[in-house]
Amino acid sequence: MPVWVLVIARAVNRLGAFTLPFLGIVLTVELGASLAEAGFVVTLFGLATIPSRLLGGHLADRLGPKRTIVVGLVGCAVAQLWIALAGSLWSAVVAVVLLGLVFEIYEPPSQAVIADVTEPAARPAAYGLLGAAVAAGAVLAGILAAALSHGSLRWLFVADAVTCLACALLIAVALPRASTSLRQDGSRGGSGWRDRRLLLMLAAGTAFATLYMQLMVGLPLTLLDRDLPASAVGIVLAVSALTLIAAQPLQRAARVRDLDDFQAMAIGYLLLGIGLLGNGFATTLPGFLACTVIWSLGDLLLFSRTYTIVAALAPDKSRGRYMATYGLSWGIATTVAPVLGTQLLAAAGPTTLWTLCALVAFGLAGLQPALRLRLNPLTLRPSELGG
């Protein structure tokens, strides 16, 4: 039951998360910011999301996941309403920074709850289901954004605030209080920064996140380079989301379920690499869609198994902070990937970009046996469990 509550709440929350692409437009058109000023404000938002994840992990282990999730969602609603009502650029800047600081609080506690309430064998399917909820919400969010964007763009932020509050209410009412990794004696768990295994996962996760972000940054530019219409970008992203949803039963198939995490990760990276390599040579929309199905299946395995491994590495009372530390891989990738991708595209073209990305994915697949030896928590001494 707690997993389904989180899945439904995540879908509702993701349904409203369509405002960020319109933030720069609101800043420039409605609040008079220059393009440079708008870019700076959006950068501030991105930087603020990094401590946001750490705060979410810390609060999850001190207050409990349920309270932390509600705090983060209510904070997002307040910041979104502030942006919608802002009468000056400086007021909007403060609201955008606040939004960044609370934006990722939700993630570590929700991931920790799944680990708390599921058996290890069931975690890949549970994390995969959470990913499918995000994908489903993203598809519907695009439709909702298209409908609301015909009026004042500030209504988008009001709608996002409403979905955040609806999500917070659902968590407050339906998520059992017992779903918490809070220590009963109030003491702190282990520190993820002192666990070398977690840092190794952070390094590997950053490489994966950087590859994934290339799909968000480099793939749209590649489609345009191949003279495909801008609408092709939306079609590709929709097919990816639908693949993640439709392929969920694979997580429960016996052959996939019986794979250990590192075997599944190796297969995931191979699929990801094949799809990325295909991006470099595809010239038609059907070709790109075939590649999209392949790399999306790889993502399905990778998203579910990486969080399963991190949950297994974490001491029971430190899962929030472990998830938060691992989640920094996405903040790093979001900062690095756009620069790397655009520079490679400009200097060498799409074929080189995607060939190099594929080689990195194949290399990560080959590293999985070594990672198993270093990370498998069942082979480690209790003294190595962080803290």
Side-chain angles (χ1 to χ4, degrees), residues 40-276:
F40 177 71
V41 174
V42 175
T43 299
L44 286 179
F45 167 82
L47 291 174
T49 61
I50 296 177
S52 174
R53 224 176 242 276
L54 295 176
L55 178 61
H58 176 76
L59 292 177
D61 291 335
R62 295 301 302 272
L63 301 179
K66 181 175 179 176
R67 291 179 181 176
T68 302
I69 291 171
V70 171
V71 167
L73 291 170
V74 172
C76 283
V78 170
Q80 296 276 13
L81 288 174
W82 188 343
I83 294 172
L85 298 173
S88 67
L89 177 60
W90 285 111
S91 178
V93 169
V94 176
V96 168
V97 172
L98 173 63
L99 180 61
L101 290 173
V102 297
F103 194 75
E104 298 285 354
I105 287 178
Y106 178 100
E107 295 291 344
S110 63
Q111 294 157 0
V113 167
I114 288 178
D116 288 344
V117 301
T118 55
E119 295 297 325
R123 286 173 188 165
Y127 284 119
L129 195 59
L130 192 64
V134 173
V139 173
L140 295 175
I143 299 172
L144 187 56
L148 291 176
S149 60
H150 294 295
S152 172
L153 292 179
R154 296 196 186 212
W155 283 108
L156 295 172
F157 292 88
V158 174
D160 200 350
V162 170
T163 62
C164 285
L165 291 176
C167 184
L169 180 62
L170 178 60
I171 292 293
V173 172
L175 188 68
R177 206 61 199 247
S179 299
T180 175
S181 58
L182 179 66
R183 279 185 184 272
Q184 298 301 314
D185 59 4
S187 60
R188 299 182 180 182
S191 170
W193 291 108
R194 297 164 61 184
D195 189 332
R196 293 182 179 179
R197 302 163 307 143
L198 179 61
L199 298 182
L200 187 57
M201 275 298 293
L202 175 59
T206 300
F208 164 61
T210 302
L211 292 177
Y212 184 83
M213 289 304 300
Q214 292 304 333
L215 292 166
M216 303 297 106
V217 177
L219 187 53
L221 297 174
T222 299
L223 292 170
L224 295 177
D225 182 80
R226 300 285 161 81
D227 296 323
L228 293 173
S231 60
V233 177
I235 295 173
V236 165
L237 295 179
V239 167
S240 175
L242 292 173
T243 301
L244 289 175
I245 297 168
Q248 283 303 309
L250 290 177
Q251 298 274 35
R252 297 184 293 275
R255 289 187 178 181
V256 176
R257 191 179 63 245
D258 292 342
L259 294 171
D260 73 37
D261 293 328
F262 301 95
Q263 290 172 329
M265 295 262 294
I267 295 172
Y269 278 122
L270 287 174
L271 290 171
L272 177 62
I274 292 170
L276 295 176

Side-chain angles (χ1 to χ4, degrees), residues 260-314:
D260 73 37
D261 293 328
F262 301 95
Q263 290 172 329
M265 295 262 294
I267 295 172
Y269 278 122
L270 287 174
L271 290 171
L272 177 62
I274 292 170
L276 295 176
L277 187 61
N279 285 342
F281 295 93
T283 56
T284 65
L285 181 56
F288 279 106
L289 293 180
C291 296
T292 298
V293 172
I294 295 171
W295 59 253
S296 296
L297 290 173
D299 286 342
L300 176 70
L301 290 173
L302 293 168
F303 278 120
S304 61
R305 297 298 181 129
T306 51
Y307 287 109
T308 299
I309 293 172
V310 175
L313 293 176

